[in-house]
């Protein structure tokens, strides 16, 4: 969602806030803005529609001098992307600037009250009511801090808010309500920074020789930043003691490492992501899964009756693969559900239901809300997540971290294969613990996984075939991705990757369902991507491919090396190495990502920041 940055200290605030916004741009890039209180105590605001670099176009003219300020990069919810709707928003007298991430659910009611009291509005946003509420509190004689706290107490909904006051050249207030957005806080050497996420804090971590103490705001907490320090309080104004966490530069460093895009870098990091996901969870001598961080006792595992896997987008596709793995190797009934639907259902969740949420960010509003519902109903809850300290990890009974490092490309790549790796480990662990998998089968499954980093590395060593295929297929405006069994969710993921970064219409479908409707689409204007590695359903997919070819469809297939049967039927083929079925989803994913990436490049798309999207969707 949106990104917030605030700085108070002794340096010029503009470059620090600007750098922070660039680092948080993955959260939204519909517009950006910065407000600085200058040396004379005046509040000055610069805004741009579109990306953060728009603020920098005339750097010298635009830079404002002053050592306290706020910045914002927006993913539009209320009001289209425009100059008026860009944050920071200011009050009637241009004294208070506010930046906001989330949704004020009762903003219409509040806005009407404020209009009745004589306030006038210039934007279509819900955010603007916040500035007027602080202004109203100050008009009633409250201090800036108290007016800010009063504003927080009047709101419904989930959000993070920060404000700065003209003339108050040494104070920033911020608060957090609900789970829509985090606030992280660092203070060192007479300077303080807040941000929606850790990368915004980098300037202070740099200064602090690679590491720094970071405070994480909980819901219902407020923080006041001054050059003298950071004070935490609740929304009644009572001071709170907060234990900071040591964060290293590596945790927050965001760098393309010479690649043209973060997405390509992150695809290339996948062998490492798979290895990191296995680290300390696989005993390579006994070839067993160990899971030292598993939150259920042996008895609780034995008592489990079913597993429900939930997630959104790419993480939902991972959940769909997880369903096969848990059924097949975990020996438990398994379901996979879209968290955005699940949260509004009334599912049966007993004490022996294990719900596994999957999410890169751990902040997706729908996933977090579904988790909360599971918790309220008394289910057991685990999260597979890439972000330590995220909402998901706080709600869950235990977290199985992906350890993929920050993923910046808006399209998820390395965290998808990390999720699939952990889901494999989880299924094997459950099967072994419950006695449905014997030792030698477990060892074979673990062996398959341990070869994965090398096999993925081989797939990524030569990118020429993906580029060549992309050149052949970039001309198509419609794609249908087909797969069966454990590979069906990879067809959905292939379609999702292509549509989100190239804006080409793409649909993922179970290959066996094609004859029940989608086959009507087949003509020479649609590309069919048939995922047909050698697995237990290979012959079935081969028949589906023949059905397409009989209707003159153009077929790109992903096949196992050495396949001579289908290779002659299809128009183009990409190959993956022969591998056991449980690791095929990760291998088949690589050509899907690479072809989508190169088609998007050929179509001149903004690969890392595709239109209308944001890295983590912290509103409903
Ligand atoms: C697609 C993509 C999104 C996310 C979805 C859930 O490439 O990245 O579909 O998967 O928004 O995000 P997380 O995994 O953070 O819950």
């Amino acid at each position: 969602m949106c990104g917030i940055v605030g700085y108070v200290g002794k340096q010029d605030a503009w470059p620090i806030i600007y750098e922070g916004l660039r680092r948080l741009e993955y959260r939204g890039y519909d517009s950006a803005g910065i407000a600085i209180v200058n040396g004379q105590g005046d509040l000055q605001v610069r805004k741009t529609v579109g990306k953060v670099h728009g603020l920098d176009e005339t750097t010298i003219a635009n830079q404002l001098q002053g050592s306290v300020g706020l910045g914002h990069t927006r993913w539009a919810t209320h009001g289209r992307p425009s100059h008026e709707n860009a944050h920071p928003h200011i009050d009637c007298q241009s004294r208070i600037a506010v930046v906001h991430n989330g949704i004020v659910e009762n903003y219409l009611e509040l806005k009407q009250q404020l209009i009745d009291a004589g306030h006038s509005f210039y934007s279509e946003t819900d955010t603007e009511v916040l500035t007027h509420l602080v202004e109203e509190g100050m008009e009633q004689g409250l201090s800036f801090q108290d007016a800010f706290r009063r504003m927080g107490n009047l709101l419904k909904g989930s959000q993070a808010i920060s404000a700065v006051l003209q003339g108050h050249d040494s104070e920033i207030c911020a608060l957090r309500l609900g789970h829509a957005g985090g606030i992280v806080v660092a203070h060192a050497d007479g300077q303080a920074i807040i941000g929606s996420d850790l990368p915004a804090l980098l300037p202070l971590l740099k200064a602090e020789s690679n590491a720094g103490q970071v405070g994480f705001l909980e819901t219902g907490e407020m923080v006041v930043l001054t050059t003298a320090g950071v004070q935490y309080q609740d929304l009644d104004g009572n001071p709170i003691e907060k234990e900071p966490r040591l964060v290293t530069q590596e945790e927050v460093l965001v760098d393309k490492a010479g690649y043209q895009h973060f997405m390509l870098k992150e695809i290339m990091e996948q062998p490492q992501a798979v290895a990191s996901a296995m680290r300390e969870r696989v005993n390579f001598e006994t070839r067993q899964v160990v899971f030292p961080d598993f939150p259920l006792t042996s008895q609780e595992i034995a008592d489990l009756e079913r597993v429900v896997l939930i997630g959104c987008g790419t993480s939902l596709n991972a959940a769909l693969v997880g369903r096969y793995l848990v059924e097949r190797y975990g020996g438990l009934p398994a379901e996979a559900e879209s968290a955005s639907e699940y949260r509004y259902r009334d599912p049966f969740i007993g004490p022996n239901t294990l719900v596994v949420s999957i999410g890169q960010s751990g902040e997706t509003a729908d996933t977090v809300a579904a988790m909360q519902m599971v918790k309220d109903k008394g289910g057991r809850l685990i999260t597979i997540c890439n972000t330590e300290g995220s909402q998901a990890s706080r709600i869950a009974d235990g977290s199985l971290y992906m350890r993929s490092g920050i993923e910046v490309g808006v399209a998820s790549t390395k965290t998808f294969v990390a999720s699939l790796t952990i889901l494999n480990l989880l299924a094997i662990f459950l099967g072994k613990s419950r006695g449905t998998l014997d030792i030698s089968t477990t060892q074979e499954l673990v062996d398959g996984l341990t070869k994965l980093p090398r096999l993925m590395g081989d797939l990524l060593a030569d990118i020429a075939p993906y580029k060549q295929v992309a050149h052949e297929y970039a001309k198509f405006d419609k794609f249908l991705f087909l797969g069966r069994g454990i590979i069906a969710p990879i067809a959905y993921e292939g379609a999702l990757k292509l549509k989100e970064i190239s804006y080409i219409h793409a649909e993922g479908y179970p290959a066996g369902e094609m004859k029940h409707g989608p086959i009507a689409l087949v003509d020479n204007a649609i590309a069919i991507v048939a995922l047909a590695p050698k697995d237990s359903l290979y012959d079935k997919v081969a028949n589906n491919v023949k059905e397409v070819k009989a209707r003159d469809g153009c077929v790109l297939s992903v096949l196992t090396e050495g396949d001579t049967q289908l290779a002659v039927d299809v128009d183009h083929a990409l190959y993956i190495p022969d591998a056991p079925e449980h690791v095929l989803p990760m291998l088949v994913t690589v050509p899907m990502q690479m072809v989508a990436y190169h088609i998007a490049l050929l179509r001149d798309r903004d690969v890392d920041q595709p239109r209308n999207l944001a890295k983590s969707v912290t509103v409903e």
Side-chain angles (χ1 to χ4, degrees):
M1 209 60 1
C2 306
I4 290 175
V5 186
Y7 173 82
V8 54
K10 50 200 175 186
Q11 302 182 54
D12 254 345
W14 178 280
I16 293 170
I17 294 170
Y18 181 80
E19 183 185 337
L21 291 181
R22 291 298 300 257
R23 292 182 186 280
L24 295 187
E25 202 165 30
Y26 65 88
R27 300 175 66 90
Y29 32 83
D30 287 329
S31 65
I34 296 181
I36 302 281
V37 180
N38 70 14
Q40 291 75 50
D42 296 331
L43 183 67
Q44 299 198 46
V45 180
R46 297 282 187 271
K47 295 182 181 182
T48 185
V49 177
K51 296 191 172 193
V52 173
H53 67 75
L55 290 170
D56 199 30
E57 265 159 16
T58 49
T59 311
I60 304 299
N62 264 346
Q63 274 201 16
L64 302 170
Q65 309 229 305
S67 56
V68 58
L70 291 176
H72 187 267
T73 179
R74 178 170 188 244
W75 187 77
T77 59
H78 291 55
R80 74 210 145 82
S82 69
H83 197 272
E84 292 72 29
N85 292 335
H87 303 209
H89 286 284
I90 51 168
D91 64 313
C92 299
Q93 296 164 50
S94 304
R95 293 172 61 214
I96 300 154
V98 172
V99 291
H100 174 221
N101 170 25
I103 291 177
V104 184
E105 287 174 8
N106 54 338
Y107 88 101
L108 283 175
E109 182 191 324
L110 292 167
K111 188 169 175 175
Q112 194 53 54
Q113 287 165 13
L114 287 159
I115 290 171
D116 292 346
H119 291 257
S120 47
F121 285 75
Y122 60 85
S123 80
E124 305 159 298
T125 64
D126 51 344
T127 307
E128 203 186 337
V129 298
L130 308 175
T131 54
H132 293 281
L133 286 174
V134 180
E135 181 182 36
E136 186 180 63
M138 293 187 73
E139 281 165 2
Q140 291 169 6
L142 297 177
S143 68
F144 175 54
Q145 264 185 49
D146 290 345
F148 184 78
R149 187 181 316 101
R150 168 186 172 272
M151 176 256 328
N153 281 310
L154 291 170
L155 305 181
K156 288 194 186 136
S158 219
Q159 49 231 302
I161 305 163
S162 185
V164 67
L165 174 69
Q166 173 211 41
H168 252 241
D169 62 353
S170 58
E171 187 173 277
I172 296 176
C173 292
L175 62 77
R176 175 179 191 170
L177 297 169
H179 304 303
I183 291 273
V184 290
V185 184
H187 180 269
D189 193 23
Q191 309 178 80
I193 304 185
I194 55 157
S196 297
D197 204 351
L198 292 170
L201 307 183
L202 204 66
L204 274 197
L205 303 188
K206 270 183 205 160
E208 279 256 292
S209 62
N210 289 343
Q213 300 286 346
V214 175
F216 292 77
L217 229 56
E218 300 288 346
T219 178
E221 288 182 356
M222 175 172 152
V223 63
V224 180
L225 295 90
T226 63
T227 49
V230 171
Q231 289 177 328
Y232 296 96
Q233 45 189 265
D234 64 20
L235 289 188
D236 293 324
N238 302 311
I240 297 172
E241 284 300 316
K242 191 171 279 293
E243 195 63 47
R245 180 162 77 78
L246 188 71
V247 170
T248 59
Q249 240 194 67
E250 287 68 52
E251 283 183 69
V252 300
L253 212 54
V254 184
D255 184 357
K256 283 192 205 149
Y259 288 100
Q260 192 181 347
H261 294 101
F262 280 110
M263 182 177 174
L264 183 58
K265 174 184 172 241
E266 287 156 5
I267 291 172
M268 291 298 182
E269 284 171 352
Q270 292 184 120
Q272 182 58 39
V274 169
S276 292
M278 284 194 284
R279 184 164 40 86
E280 291 158 4
R281 294 169 178 154
V282 169
N283 180 328
F284 293 96
E285 277 173 25
T286 59
R287 293 144 68 210
Q288 294 295 315
V289 178
V290 284
F291 262 131
D293 39 2
F294 204 75
L296 272 63
T297 64
S298 309
Q299 190 55 51
E300 287 170 333
I301 295 173
D303 290 343
L304 286 178
E305 287 164 2
R306 54 197 266 272
V307 176
V308 183
L309 301 118
I310 59 171
C312 293
T314 290
S315 295
L316 172 61
N317 293 334
L320 289 162
V321 175
R323 179 177 68 181
Y324 284 86
L325 296 169
V326 172
E327 279 175 351
R328 188 163 299 169
Y329 307 118
L332 276 159
E335 298 147 50
E337 304 274 358
S338 137
S340 57
E341 290 295 321
Y342 198 61
R343 64 180 288 191
Y344 290 116
R345 298 218 335 249
D346 195 13
F348 172 80
I349 298 166
N352 296 329
T353 305
L354 174 64
V355 176
V356 181
S357 87
I358 303 162
Q360 180 281 131
S361 58
E363 300 288 350
T364 298
D366 286 319
T367 307
V368 170
M371 291 176 73
Q372 194 58 56
M373 175 188 75
V374 170
K375 196 160 187 177
D376 295 344
K377 284 177 180 273
R380 302 310 307 268
L381 196 52
I382 292 180
T383 187
I384 296 175
C385 167
N386 196 36
T387 315
E388 287 193 33
S390 61
Q391 284 306 314
S393 65
R394 288 180 217 192
I395 295 175
D397 300 327
S399 304
L400 306 177
Y401 288 114
M402 298 176 192
R403 307 177 189 139
S404 301
I406 281 184
E407 189 177 66
V408 177
V410 162
S412 289
T413 52
K414 62 178 176 175
T415 56
F416 179 62
V417 297
S419 307
L420 299 186
T421 307
I422 296 176
L423 285 163
N424 258 293
L425 297 176
L426 177 66
I428 298 168
F429 182 74
L430 290 175
K432 176 71 189 0
S433 309
R434 292 167 54 82
T436 55
L437 278 184
D438 60 32
I439 290 195
S440 65
T441 312
T442 313
Q443 289 176 328
E444 278 171 32
L445 292 169
V446 168
D447 286 346
L449 288 172
T450 54
K451 292 193 183 97
L452 196 49
R454 177 177 54 77
L455 296 179
M456 290 188 100
D458 292 348
L459 274 180
L460 290 165
D462 179 12
I463 63 169
Y466 312 122
K467 273 182 154 171
Q468 202 181 330
V469 161
H471 272 280
E472 298 284 347
Y473 283 80
K475 60 179 184 274
F476 285 96
D477 289 321
K478 291 182 281 180
F479 278 75
L480 182 59
F481 287 69
L482 302 173
R484 263 187 119 147
I486 199 167
I487 297 301
I490 307 306
Y492 313 156
E493 177 60 10
L496 178 59
K497 283 289 91 80
L498 183 68
K499 79 178 93 170
E500 69 182 325
I501 61 168
S502 71
Y503 318 150
I504 294 173
H505 179 77
E507 212 176 330
Y509 231 78
E513 283 291 306
M514 195 188 54
K515 56 187 172 295
H516 300 292
I519 198 163
L521 294 172
V522 175
D523 60 16
N524 58 13
I526 188 167
I528 308 292
V529 182
L531 308 182
K534 278 276 164 65
D535 64 7
S536 52
L537 292 175
Y538 171 79
D539 291 335
K540 310 282 175 199
V541 184
N543 288 337
N544 301 138
V545 169
K546 286 180 204 303
E547 289 157 12
V548 173
K549 283 311 301 173
R551 288 158 181 87
D552 283 337
C554 178
V555 180
L556 162 65
S557 230
V558 176
L559 303 174
T560 300
E561 276 160 12
D563 183 327
T564 47
Q565 188 191 333
L566 259 186
V568 291
D569 287 330
V570 300
D571 298 272
H572 298 89
L574 290 167
Y575 291 92
I576 59 159
D578 193 15
E581 191 150 316
H582 64 299
V583 301
L584 288 177
M586 289 83 118
L587 294 176
V588 177
T589 295
V590 172
M592 296 297 87
Q593 296 167 336
M594 286 301 254
V595 170
Y597 173 76
H598 286 288
I599 288 180
L601 280 193
L602 289 168
R603 290 209 170 200
D604 204 18
R605 302 302 189 211
D606 190 343
V607 174
D608 280 337
Q609 295 177 341
R611 70 183 179 202
N612 304 338
L613 294 173
K615 184 67 185 158
S616 50
V617 183
T618 56
V619 293
E620 210 185 320

